Amino acid sequence: MLANILGMYGRRVTVLEAMDTLIDFPRGVGLDDESLRTIQTVGLVDSVLPHTTPQHIMRLVNGSGKVILVNNPQTDEFGWGRKHGFIQPAVDRALFEGLARFDNVQVLFGHRVEEVLETADGVTATALVSGPDGEVREHMFTAQYLVGCEGGKSPTRKRLRTTFDGESPATRWLVVDVNNDPLGTPNVFLGADPKRPYVSIGLPHAVRRWEFMLHDHETEDQVTDPDYVNALLKDHVPDPSQLSFIRRRVFTHHGRVAGTFRRGRQLVAGDAAHLMPVWMGQGWNSGMRDATNLGWKLASVLSGQAGDDLLDTYTSERREHAKAMVDLSLTFGNIIKITNPLLAAGRDAASSVLNLFPSVKSYFSDMKFKPMPRYTQGVLADPGTRTPGRAAARIGGNLIPVRTANSRVSPVGVQFPQPRVNFRHGHDVLLDDAVGNWWSVIVWGNSPKDVLPEASLEKLRALGANLVCILPETQREWAEKSMGEDVLVLGDSTGRMKKWFDDRPTPMVFLRPDRFVAGACLTQDGPATLDAILASMSFNPQPATLR
């Protein structure tokens, strides 16, 4: 994904892959709305969707099979459903094949990086490559930055000399994947059975996954034996011996986060930066969030548009949310894997009572317990104080528009919604497809050119930002005629944007390439807010080449 983002922005990228080919067996099984939004941004959503199951419902059941919790969120504020099942090898291949679009990106399989030398000017990686004659040769690659995406044992993270705090619970699990799903139910069952907790997941392409918690006395050789696996499956299918097995593998959950994601010219992303327990299906998605956050920042630095300090915000923005997801996943896992019958009975009874309260039931069903990313430090400007690099969670001030707003929760540091809009060149399109993949300044009901001074507009041109006006669809044709070709006019045909702006005293929004809000303010505060944002990213005022 990171190579796709950088390729999209015209940056030269070399991907060094130690393996000879892509992994072809299922791994991650959950794809969320934030990841699909990023996939949409790089233009590969049509290639990925055939390998997904939308609205992947999760049901937590007790040892008797009674449903004690349902997770079925209906929201789509980011343009996509909240949860999707997916086949990771197929989606990974779609991302890999998408790189063929870019002459500036090369992928080299069978290149194992063994040594890295960093200087003040760049990074040189030495990779071992086996030739057709079997002889191993060294190939050297020099670049400005190196990003290690090598998983939990990442050599790059070790070169950063950083901590990797967290825990690795001793509990082991057996994962079993089969073709020709013998159950056919398209969703997820988490079996909180004190005798042996299990997971049963229906996936696209007729794949079924089971996971079984192992007892301490069970060895890996024992539990991967076909007869032993069949015995574990006998309560799930009539005849396990007739299943078409893909793999049987033992794994241990880990919950760890690196102390920093960057030092000098080397960075880490994905499992190299954080190991995520499987319970919330956030391992793969957390890696996508890393790429989404880091991609535009690397592109900005490589183009000379921003200073190297911008890359420090990758850690300050991503680390805390990654830790929050790890903590939530560990907590959720502890609820599921209770083996004490009395504690399990207490959990089941408490769930039955809590389900009687609609607000509590909605809290779980709509996935409100999932911490959404909120950046409080990074490429931001506080809407009240215009402080560069910081943003409080609430909007301060005593102006009447602030005091009378439906919400004083700040939109700065969170993702902007993605409704469908109409514009001159398309109807009923997702917002991101209309505004493009770089910076935008969005104003409700007015032209940015009419509310910003020329000095600010010049800075926005140097940034490469699109000027966008959103207003009711009824006014769109009038605005298109009056605002000129250099302002993108979007018609709010669903009313969702009107409500968003109605709830907040921030009619001007500065939208980052990763769809997070860098600044939001009253229009008269626009120049100061823009200056604070530019200061937070060490902006270099030169013509942008990344639109």
Side-chain angles (χ1 to χ4, degrees):
M1 176 54 77
L2 187 58
N4 270 285
I5 293 172
L6 289 166
M8 175 180 69
Y9 290 140
R11 301 299 104 194
R12 291 181 58 196
V13 185
T14 296
V15 179
L16 301 176
E17 169 56 56
M19 297 182 63
D20 292 327
T21 186
L22 296 176
I23 292 175
D24 61 357
F25 54 78
R27 289 176 293 157
V29 295
L31 190 159
D32 68 17
D33 51 348
E34 298 172 62
S35 294
L36 264 180
R37 191 173 189 178
T38 298
I39 293 167
Q40 172 198 348
T41 296
V42 298
L44 295 176
V45 75
D46 289 340
S47 300
V48 165
L49 286 179
H51 310 299
T52 67
T53 297
Q55 198 178 344
H56 212 210
I57 302 169
M58 185 275 289
R59 296 181 177 91
L60 180 63
V61 299
N62 63 16
S64 301
K66 179 183 177 181
V67 176
I68 58 178
L69 185 152
V70 176
N71 176 220
N72 181 23
Q74 303 293 312
T75 54
D76 63 351
E77 65 265 42
F78 299 140
W80 302 96
R82 182 63 62 86
K83 295 179 63 180
H84 303 251
F86 83 122
I87 298 295
Q88 184 178 341
V91 172
D92 286 351
R93 179 163 293 280
L95 300 184
F96 163 65
E97 292 176 349
L99 296 175
R101 301 171 293 171
F102 308 118
D103 294 336
N104 48 309
V105 177
Q106 64 171 337
V107 180
L108 301 175
F109 288 96
H111 283 63
R112 180 179 296 278
V113 175
E114 292 291 332
E115 184 178 344
V116 174
L117 175 64
E118 179 177 344
T119 67
D121 300 321
V123 182
T124 299
T126 301
L128 300 184
V129 184
S130 296
D133 56 359
E135 183 179 352
V136 178
R137 298 176 174 84
E138 290 187 349
H139 287 199
M140 300 179 70
F141 301 86
T142 300
Q144 292 191 48
Y145 293 93
L146 179 149
V147 185
C149 307
E150 322 102 315
K153 297 180 180 179
S154 167
T156 303
R157 188 187 63 250
K158 295 173 183 176
R159 288 193 298 270
L160 299 187
R161 303 184 306 280
T162 185
T163 57
F164 202 36
D165 296 330
E167 59 181 282
S168 297
T171 309
R172 299 166 302 139
W173 291 76
L174 173 70
V175 59
V176 180
D177 293 321
V178 303
N179 284 314
N180 306 321
D181 184 355
L183 304 185
T185 52
N187 297 305
V188 182
F189 291 91
L190 300 183
D193 186 343
K195 295 179 181 178
R196 188 189 294 273
Y198 67 90
V199 182
S200 178
I201 309 175
L203 293 171
H205 303 181
V207 173
R208 167 68 52 174
R209 167 168 295 180
W210 283 280
E211 297 175 15
F212 298 98
M213 196 179 88
L214 302 178
H215 301 303
D216 291 342
H217 67 274
E218 294 174 309
T219 67
E220 183 168 350
D221 288 342
Q222 178 184 11
V223 300
T224 54
D225 177 80
D227 290 337
Y228 205 91
V229 173
N230 289 349
L232 292 175
L233 290 170
K234 66 181 178 58
D235 292 332
H236 295 264
V237 294
D239 188 357
S241 67
Q242 297 301 309
L243 296 176
S244 172
F245 289 93
I246 300 173
R247 67 166 181 166
R248 311 171 184 87
R249 181 186 176 191
V250 174
F251 68 95
T252 302
H253 295 167
H254 301 275
R256 297 184 177 274
V257 182
T260 183
F261 295 0
R262 182 255 177 139
R263 180 164 282 127
R265 292 184 174 272
Q266 300 184 63
L267 307 97
V268 288
D271 284 357
H274 39 71
L275 287 174
M276 197 79 53
V278 302
W279 300 113
M280 300 304 300
Q282 288 298 309
W284 193 88
N285 294 293
S286 293
M288 292 297 104
R289 293 189 191 99
D290 293 343
T292 305
N293 186 285
L294 180 58
W296 72 270
K297 295 176 180 179
L298 275 171
S300 298
V301 173
L302 292 170
S303 73
Q305 192 181 60
D308 179 83
D309 291 348
L310 174 61
L311 299 180
D312 289 333
T313 68
Y314 170 49
T315 296
S316 64
E317 292 185 349
R318 280 292 305 131
R319 187 180 183 278
E320 287 307 309
H321 183 259
K323 184 178 183 303
M325 290 307 309
V326 167
D327 292 344
L328 177 63
S329 297
L330 286 170
T331 300
F332 201 67
N334 289 335
I335 293 173
I336 294 168
K337 63 184 186 182
I338 293 174
T339 55
N340 183 303
L342 292 177
L343 293 178
R347 174 201 59 203
D348 298 350
S351 299
S352 298
V353 172
L354 291 175
N355 276 325
L356 298 176
F357 297 91
S359 60
V360 176
K361 191 172 183 178
S362 172
Y363 178 77
F364 290 103
S365 178
D366 294 336
M367 211 171 176
K368 296 176 182 178
F369 54 84
K370 176 187 173 185
M372 297 301 295
R374 171 178 282 279
Y375 304 151
T376 58
Q377 298 182 56
V379 184
L380 309 164
D382 187 88
T385 65
R386 270 80 66 192
T387 302
R390 294 182 179 274
R394 292 186 63 79
I395 302 174
N398 289 315
L399 289 175
I400 289 177
V402 176
R403 288 192 284 114
T404 61
N406 287 340
S407 174
R408 296 184 68 164
V409 176
S410 173
V412 176
V414 300
Q415 280 195 67
F416 196 65
Q418 187 185 199
R420 291 188 172 273
V421 296
N422 296 335
F423 70 121
R424 189 189 304 272
H425 303 296
H427 280 225
D428 195 38
V429 300
L430 288 168
L431 176 74
D432 296 354
D433 293 336
V435 302
N437 58 29
W438 199 237
W439 283 86
S440 297
V441 54
I442 300 174
V443 179
W444 171 260
N446 213 331
S447 167
K449 292 177 61 178
D450 291 340
V451 295
L452 288 171
E454 180 57 32
S456 295
L457 294 173
E458 184 60 32
K459 293 170 185 175
L460 289 168
R461 283 191 282 269
L463 183 62
N466 279 331
L467 306 180
V468 181
C469 166
I470 297 183
L471 37 58
E473 173 65 17
T474 54
Q475 300 176 36
R476 180 171 61 85
E477 290 189 12
W478 162 81
E480 288 173 343
K481 294 176 182 177
S482 63
M483 293 185 184
E485 293 291 333
D486 52 351
V487 175
L488 175 65
V489 177
L490 302 180
D492 175 29
S493 58
T494 66
R496 297 176 80 167
M497 278 286 84
K498 178 176 179 290
K499 183 175 189 321
W500 191 92
F501 281 102
D502 182 56
D503 286 343
R504 297 162 178 82
T506 52
M508 177 176 285
V509 172
F510 295 89
L511 192 62
R512 304 182 346 175
D514 59 2
R515 316 309 184 185
F516 278 75
V517 177
C521 57
L522 295 169
T523 55
Q524 290 185 353
D525 290 328
T529 301
L530 173 61
D531 288 345
I533 294 169
L534 297 180
S536 73
M537 62 179 289
S538 304
F539 177 66
N540 293 326
Q542 63 180 36
T545 60
L546 301 178
R547 294 192 71 175

